[in-house]
Amino acid sequence: MTDSIMSKAATMEIPINSNGDTGTLAEDDSLEQAAKLQWSLDEKVGSSRGTRDLQQVMVSGPNLNETSIVSGGYGGTAEGIISTSSIKGSNMHHSTSSSSMTAEEVTRGVAVEKLETMKKWGFNTYKCTKQMISERFGRGSRTVDLELEAQIEVLRDTKKKYECVLRLARALTNHFYNMVQTQHALGDTFADLSQKSPELRDEFGYNAETQKLLCKNGETLLGAINFFVSSINTLVKKTMEDTLMTIKMYENARLEFDAYRSDLEELSLGPRDAVAMARIDAAQQQYQVQKDKYERLRSDVIIKLKFLEENKVKVMHKQLLLFHNAISAYFAGNQQQLEQTLKQFNIKLKPPGADKPSWLEEQ
């Protein structure tokens, strides 16, 4: 019906009078009515079609992969239609390239940082080596603290002597341990012979008892000597060694400080243009940093030397008194005084075989 009305409207003739104006036709009203009818039909068809599309969307939902974006107005060409799948693919490619670029930038940043660290280390090593060679050949000046260096030299000499005492005390412990083991074996042999030799039973019995008593006192003395050796070892290998490590750090800081000080003095004697002044400012900053580090470590060394001396006197006073009393009581045959000496210094002896694992641990 709609097609017939439109064809009729299209084939109507519009008469023109002699003045070129269109005449009044009876079909104008019918043409207008046909147009209104066509518009109402299109609106109904469009609304019903939109209702069906909306119902379909609400039931199944849109397919995002097939959704299109239309550019331009109504009735535009297909050239303005862009598929979202292509946009999604391009976004994924862009994010992948961005992540790869970020990883590459991080790697490059780490490499640059390592290169800068190696550069600074090489530059600092060169300066320190140059300063060391200049000092050895007498062409460079060095910062000297006579009082502190004298204390450091005394400490190094004291450490060597204490290491000698420690070595001799360990040798004494080994020899005395062997003697105690020999006395123990000799006492067992005398006791066995006293059972097998009736005519010499008393003589062998006296000697067996004497050797067993000497063995017991020897084990007590060994406990005192082992405690003495352990305390000296802690003093030498830990306390003194820790102080000497701080002294080594102080000496390295002193060398770096003198190296940057010499560099600053050389630059100060040169020209005073803009480039030279910039280098002097940078050298001044580095000099101040090294000076602060040197003074801080110098203060640490002074404090540690003071505490080390106090600790050394306290420890050695106790250990020398223990060593003297234990040795005197043992060779005097005073078992009671020997045991009292160990109680005085809170030394507990391990029972024989305490270091050996039990039969359950051996399984």
Side-chain angles (χ1 to χ4, degrees):
M1 177 179 178
T2 304
D3 295 337
S4 62
I5 294 173
M6 290 301 297
S7 62
K8 179 179 180 182
T11 55
M12 287 183 179
E13 295 181 358
I14 302 174
I16 301 175
N17 56 17
S18 59
N19 293 328
D21 297 331
T22 57
T24 301
L25 298 176
E27 289 86 2
D28 289 344
D29 296 336
S30 62
L31 181 60
E32 184 178 356
Q33 293 177 359
K36 290 181 179 180
L37 180 61
Q38 175 65 28
W39 179 79
S40 62
L41 290 174
D42 291 340
E43 186 177 8
K44 291 180 180 180
V45 172
S47 61
S48 61
R49 184 177 302 170
T51 303
R52 289 195 302 269
D53 295 340
L54 179 60
Q55 292 176 352
Q56 182 179 1
V57 168
M58 293 178 65
V59 173
S60 59
N63 188 352
L64 296 179
N65 294 328
E66 297 178 357
T67 305
S68 299
I69 301 174
V70 180
S71 63
Y74 174 78
T77 60
E79 295 177 355
I81 300 176
I82 304 174
S83 176
T84 56
S85 60
S86 61
I87 297 177
K88 182 179 179 181
S90 62
N91 289 336
M92 292 178 62
H93 178 71
H94 179 70
S95 61
T96 304
S97 60
S98 299
S99 61
S100 61
M101 290 179 63
T102 304
E104 184 178 356
E105 289 175 357
V106 170
T107 306
R108 186 180 302 173
V110 173
V112 171
E113 184 178 357
K114 289 183 179 180
L115 183 62
E116 288 296 328
T117 303
M118 291 295 296
K119 183 179 178 180
K120 291 180 181 179
W121 176 83
F123 186 70
N124 187 60
T125 303
Y126 166 74
K127 283 183 175 295
C128 294
T129 305
K130 180 182 176 182
Q131 177 67 23
M132 186 185 300
I133 295 175
S134 299
E135 291 178 1
R136 288 189 177 181
F137 285 95
R139 292 179 296 183
S141 60
R142 64 187 298 267
T143 303
V144 179
D145 190 335
L146 295 178
E147 182 180 358
L148 183 58
E149 290 188 0
Q151 294 178 6
I152 293 173
E153 197 63 31
V154 169
L155 173 60
R156 286 173 174 160
D157 184 63
T158 303
K159 184 173 181 290
K160 290 180 181 178
K161 292 179 179 179
Y162 275 53
E163 286 175 345
C164 180
V165 171
L166 181 61
R167 184 173 62 254
L168 294 174
R170 284 174 173 169
L172 175 63
T173 303
N174 292 332
H175 294 319
F176 198 77
Y177 174 79
N178 292 331
M179 187 186 74
V180 170
Q181 295 299 315
T182 303
Q183 288 175 341
H184 188 274
L186 188 59
D188 291 342
T189 303
F190 285 156
D192 183 62
L193 289 173
S194 67
Q195 299 293 331
K196 297 179 179 180
S197 302
E199 67 278 4
L200 297 174
R201 178 178 300 174
D202 294 337
E203 289 79 359
F204 278 124
Y206 296 151
N207 281 277
E209 292 295 330
T210 302
Q211 294 300 321
K212 288 181 180 180
L213 179 62
L214 289 174
C215 182
K216 182 179 179 181
N217 293 340
E219 291 175 351
T220 305
L221 179 61
L222 275 176
I225 296 177
N226 285 330
F227 186 77
F228 175 81
V229 170
S230 176
S231 300
I232 300 298
N233 182 72
T234 302
L235 179 64
V236 174
K237 300 299 183 180
K238 294 184 178 180
T239 309
M240 290 185 178
E241 192 66 29
D242 178 71
T243 305
L244 288 175
M245 287 295 296
T246 306
I247 291 174
K248 186 176 181 180
M249 294 171 60
Y250 157 75
E251 292 176 344
N252 291 337
R254 197 277 310 164
L255 183 63
E256 292 179 357
F257 167 69
D258 285 336
Y260 282 93
R261 177 182 56 80
S262 301
D263 189 25
L264 179 61
E265 291 175 354
E266 291 179 1
L267 291 175
S268 300
L269 297 176
R272 294 284 180 167
D273 55 359
V275 177
M277 290 302 297
R279 294 180 62 187
I280 290 175
D281 291 340
Q284 181 69 35
Q285 294 177 1
Q286 292 292 331
Y287 165 78
Q288 190 62 40
V289 170
Q290 297 300 326
K291 182 180 179 181
D292 295 341
K293 180 181 178 181
Y294 165 74
E295 292 179 349
R296 184 180 69 255
L297 287 173
R298 178 177 175 274
S299 177
D300 293 344
V301 169
I302 293 174
I303 293 173
K304 284 198 173 185
L305 285 174
K306 179 181 178 180
F307 283 116
L308 174 62
E309 185 65 23
E310 295 176 356
N311 188 35
K312 182 191 71 174
V313 172
K314 181 179 179 181
V315 169
M316 291 308 299
H317 174 77
K318 178 180 178 180
Q319 296 303 319
L320 290 174
L321 184 62
L322 166 67
F323 191 78
H324 173 268
N325 292 345
I327 293 290
S328 300
Y330 173 79
F331 285 101
N334 193 340
Q335 179 182 359
Q336 184 178 359
Q337 184 181 355
L338 182 60
E339 293 177 352
Q340 185 65 30
T341 300
L342 267 66
K343 291 180 181 180
Q344 179 184 355
F345 293 95
N346 298 321
I347 301 174
K348 295 182 179 180
L349 297 178
K350 295 181 179 181
D355 295 334
K356 297 181 180 180
S358 63
W359 64 274
L360 286 174
E361 295 175 344
E362 291 179 352
Q363 297 300 323

